[in-house]
Amino acid sequence: GNSVTQMEGPVTLSEEAFLTINCTYTATGYPSLFWYVQYPGEGLQLLLKATKADDKGSNKGFEATYRKETTSFHLEKGSVQVSDSAVYFCALSERGSQGNLIFGKGTKLSVKP
Amino acid sequence: DTEVTQTPKHLVMGMTNKKSLKCEQHMGHRAMYWYKQKAKKPPELMFVYSYEKLSINESVPSRFSPECPNSSLLNLHLHALQPEDSALYLCASSQADRSGANVLTFGAGSRLTVL
């Protein structure tokens, strides 16, 4: 079956540090890949997406590239801010699945000033 | 309007109560979802409505009863819940983008506590 594995947290960084959160997936077809972010006490917000191999999704300084050869979609940011503190979920959706998202377990990021 | 609105934000209920969670979107999305999220866990799919018809029920207990009165509204009726049903309930809606990918837009959630 389809699944998403992302690095366990929590991840604690100092402001302006480089961020990488690893995400790998298993899928039978050609999924779309997403990163969602959840700030404390809130719902999920779409951070970025990629729908085919070698696509790069980007938003708010975050980037992730759809790597089919390594089945990965790692999230990166060059310089994190305190306001980036949140839980980050990697997710996939198979075409024809009515948009049902399969989530990784989530990675909590804390950024200290 | 690019939002999914959920009410109430917080709900406390006893095990014998009947209550409802409401969700509304005006983006013209034709698929709507209910997810349940326990603390420090990812969201788990409960129900999917497509064109106002229930298309997926992930073996959810009958004490949760979804309803889609029209294409903009989604309700979740709650009756005889258990304390372990306490969670954040997230509503989402979606439509396919130009690439064909279904992109879900989530509401802020309704935090339910069952006493």
Side-chain angles (χ1 to χ4, degrees), chain A residues 66-110:
Chain A
Y66 190 144
R67 301 283 188 203
K68 195 168 187 297
E69 64 277 13
T70 54
T71 61
S72 65
F73 192 55
H74 305 321
L75 182 68
E76 296 182 337
K77 186 175 185 182
S79 177
V80 293
Q81 306 300 312
V82 172
S83 57
D84 294 326
S85 298
V87 179
Y88 293 81
F89 291 98
C90 184
L92 71 80
S93 174
E94 283 273 31
R95 291 182 192 276
S97 67
Q98 299 188 66
N100 180 19
L101 288 171
I102 296 171
F103 288 96
K105 292 186 176 181
T107 302
K108 183 176 181 180
L109 170 67
S110 296

Side-chain angles (χ1 to χ4, degrees), chain A residues 16-95:
Chain A
E16 299 185 3
F18 184 84
L19 169 70
T20 300
I21 301 178
N22 290 337
C23 172
T24 56
Y25 67 90
T26 303
T28 52
Y30 299 94
S32 297
L33 301 174
F34 306 86
W35 277 100
Y36 279 85
V37 58
Q38 187 171 33
Y39 297 101
E42 297 186 11
L44 276 70
Q45 298 176 25
L46 177 66
L47 183 58
L48 51 84
K49 67 178 173 70
T51 57
K52 62 182 188 298
D54 300 325
D55 267 2
K56 178 186 279 188
S58 61
N59 186 26
K60 299 180 182 179
F62 290 90
E63 293 183 339
T65 301
Y66 190 144
R67 301 283 188 203
K68 195 168 187 297
E69 64 277 13
T70 54
T71 61
S72 65
F73 192 55
H74 305 321
L75 182 68
E76 296 182 337
K77 186 175 185 182
S79 177
V80 293
Q81 306 300 312
V82 172
S83 57
D84 294 326
S85 298
V87 179
Y88 293 81
F89 291 98
C90 184
L92 71 80
S93 174
E94 283 273 31
R95 291 182 192 276

Side-chain angles (χ1 to χ4, degrees), chain B residues 22-99:
Chain B
K22 297 184 183 303
C23 175
E24 189 167 5
Q25 58 90 10
H26 296 287
M27 295 178 281
H29 292 177
R30 302 316 298 264
M32 296 186 76
Y33 309 74
W34 281 114
Y35 280 83
K36 173 182 178 180
Q37 186 180 24
K38 300 284 276 184
K40 299 185 179 181
K41 298 287 187 184
E44 297 176 353
L45 182 67
M46 300 175 72
F47 303 104
V48 180
Y49 273 83
S50 178
Y51 290 87
E52 300 164 46
K53 293 193 186 308
L54 183 64
S55 58
I56 295 179
N57 175 344
E58 291 287 339
S59 303
V60 178
S62 60
R63 58 186 183 270
F64 295 91
S65 175
E67 178 197 21
C68 189
N70 60 56
S71 60
S72 299
L73 294 174
L74 185 66
N75 298 321
L76 185 63
H77 302 299
L78 314 171
H79 174 55
L81 295 193
Q82 303 297 310
E84 59 265 28
D85 296 322
S86 299
L88 182 67
Y89 288 84
L90 294 164
C91 176
S93 67
S94 78
Q95 70 174 24
D97 66 8
R98 271 188 272 177
S99 70

